[in-house]
Amino acid sequence: MSTQPLKILVYSHRPNIREAIITAVGRRPAPDIGRVDYIEAGTVSEVLMTMDAGRIDLAILDGEAQPTGGIGLCRQLKNEITDCGPIVIAVRRKDDRWLATWSQADAVVIYPLDPLAAAETVADVLRARRLPVARG
């Protein structure tokens, strides 16, 4: 296991939503994941620059962000970045899960965020990302 903390990008135009996501997931989502550090982004351009640089282990995007929501942004990232990292979408309505599926999100969390469910979801996505590729 790496000693470097994993990097999680959190995007929302509202600082209080970014804070709520960070608080819910926590600095250590699961014992086997280790510590995580957060990079906050309040604009789409910040997200694009950070994701293009390839230094992110996971992104959590606010599906309700303005003027560009995380759902559309997720689809753009998944289609434009080769080997795009995992993305979790935070939505307000359970009925919006289908939109997150359309966006190619790796997982969805629902507002208000349940800290146990949010941390577990993030940990599951990070674990899946770290699985070795089987060569045959």
Side-chain angles (χ1 to χ4, degrees), residues 43-58:
T43 66
V44 171
S45 62
E46 291 173 327
V47 172
L48 295 175
M49 287 189 319
T50 305
M51 293 296 285
D52 280 340
R55 299 180 310 243
I56 299 301
D57 296 295
L58 175 105

Side-chain angles (χ1 to χ4, degrees), residues 35-83:
R35 182 175 163 75
V36 298
D37 285 340
Y38 292 95
I39 297 171
E40 295 186 47
T43 66
V44 171
S45 62
E46 291 173 327
V47 172
L48 295 175
M49 287 189 319
T50 305
M51 293 296 285
D52 280 340
R55 299 180 310 243
I56 299 301
D57 296 295
L58 175 105
I60 305 173
L61 309 178
D62 176 10
E64 314 290 324
Q66 296 295 322
T68 304
I71 292 171
L73 183 55
C74 176
R75 187 165 175 95
Q76 178 183 350
L77 292 167
K78 290 290 189 173
N79 288 318
E80 292 181 1
I81 296 176
T82 302
D83 194 29

Side-chain angles (χ1 to χ4, degrees), residues 5-108:
L6 297 173
K7 301 276 187 217
I8 297 179
L9 174 69
V10 177
Y11 164 67
S12 179
H13 73 289
R14 298 187 322 196
N16 60 322
I17 295 295
R18 294 192 307 264
E19 182 180 341
I21 291 169
I22 291 167
T23 300
V25 174
R27 297 283 175 191
R28 194 175 173 113
D32 63 312
I33 296 300
R35 182 175 163 75
V36 298
D37 285 340
Y38 292 95
I39 297 171
E40 295 186 47
T43 66
V44 171
S45 62
E46 291 173 327
V47 172
L48 295 175
M49 287 189 319
T50 305
M51 293 296 285
D52 280 340
R55 299 180 310 243
I56 299 301
D57 296 295
L58 175 105
I60 305 173
L61 309 178
D62 176 10
E64 314 290 324
Q66 296 295 322
T68 304
I71 292 171
L73 183 55
C74 176
R75 187 165 175 95
Q76 178 183 350
L77 292 167
K78 290 290 189 173
N79 288 318
E80 292 181 1
I81 296 176
T82 302
D83 194 29
C84 182
I87 299 176
V88 175
I89 302 287
V91 296
R92 294 214 178 278
R93 301 176 332 137
K94 287 182 183 177
D95 292 347
D96 287 339
R97 284 181 181 270
W98 75 271
L99 283 170
T101 300
W102 168 85
S103 75
Q104 303 170 29
D106 295 273
V108 180

Side-chain angles (χ1 to χ4, degrees), residues 29 58 88 106-109 115-127:
L58 175 105
V88 175
D106 295 273
V108 180
V109 291
L116 293 175
E120 182 178 336
T121 298
V122 166
D124 287 347
V125 172
L126 287 169
R127 283 184 202 109

